[in-house]
Amino acid sequence: MSTELPSTTSETAKSGLTGRKAADKSARTRAREFALQAIYQHLVGRNTASDIDAFTRDLAGFHKCDSVHFDALLHGCIEQADALDALIKPSLDRPLNELSPIERGVLWIGAYEFQHCLDVPWRVVLNECIELAKSFGGTDGHKYVNGVLHQLAAQLRPAEVAAAPSKPGARKNAAP
């Protein structure tokens, strides 16, 4: 059984979910996509980070990604898997083992970036992770990822989240 993610490029292009062509993707967006595929290989195939890293670098298009960011995400998420799971668990409405490997990988990437990639604004992390979940995950997985990562953003980057202007139509917490 292959541990590679199925390609959804044509499906995404047809549905218009991402709103951008492959040529328009940034090097960091590409790094996140390759990192998610690599984390998927780790979660499903139990492959080692070094084996996955070597395999992924040979994939078509890898040269267009930010390899430093890819390294940080792949190795950081795998090395800190237990800590990331512990961080994510309180925000879940189901046991961790019931998450799809895609949702879990996207949540790892989001939590890792919130903690360690402070140069990336929290909304960028959130939006990129939602796009990953839309492109590679199940039908409504992106909504679940959005809810969990919103909670983590408020926890891990409270000042940044508090300083962000609220979007029109955004839900606000009702006062008791």
Side-chain angles (χ1 to χ4, degrees):
M1 184 170 134
S2 172
T3 57
E4 291 181 57
L5 289 172
S7 174
T8 59
T9 308
S10 62
E11 293 171 11
T12 303
K14 288 178 195 171
S15 66
L17 290 176
T18 62
R20 56 185 165 188
K21 297 177 194 169
D24 295 341
K25 292 181 182 178
S26 74
R28 283 233 171 143
T29 295
R30 291 175 192 275
R32 288 180 188 95
E33 290 175 348
F34 281 110
L36 179 59
Q37 292 176 55
I39 290 167
Y40 180 89
Q41 287 183 28
H42 172 73
L43 288 168
V44 174
R46 294 291 167 202
N47 301 333
T48 66
S50 58
D51 288 344
I52 295 167
D53 194 342
F55 172 80
T56 304
R57 288 178 185 281
D58 286 336
L59 294 175
F62 185 84
H63 67 283
K64 294 180 182 179
C65 87
D66 179 340
S67 62
V68 172
H69 198 63
F70 167 80
D71 285 339
L73 293 176
L74 171 63
H75 296 283
C77 287
I78 291 175
E79 289 167 8
Q80 297 179 18
D82 291 338
L84 293 172
D85 282 344
L87 192 61
I88 292 165
K89 276 174 95 169
S91 299
L92 301 179
D93 66 352
R94 63 188 84 154
L96 197 58
N97 64 355
E98 290 183 13
L99 290 178
S100 78
I102 297 297
E103 289 172 343
R104 192 170 182 183
V106 171
L107 291 173
W108 278 5
I109 289 170
Y112 183 87
E113 284 196 274
F114 283 150
Q115 287 186 305
H116 301 286
C117 302
L118 301 179
D119 61 317
V120 183
W122 75 274
R123 285 200 187 197
V124 171
V125 173
L126 182 69
N127 289 336
E128 289 285 326
C129 288
I130 290 168
E131 291 302 321
L132 283 173
K134 283 180 180 179
S135 295
F136 297 102
T139 304
D140 286 332
H142 68 283
K143 294 176 185 177
Y144 189 75
V145 164
N146 182 18
V148 173
L149 288 180
H150 256 287
Q151 291 178 46
L152 288 177
Q155 176 187 340
L156 297 171
R157 296 203 187 172
E160 191 179 349
V161 171
S166 59
K167 292 183 176 181
R171 287 180 272 156
K172 294 185 179 183
N173 293 337

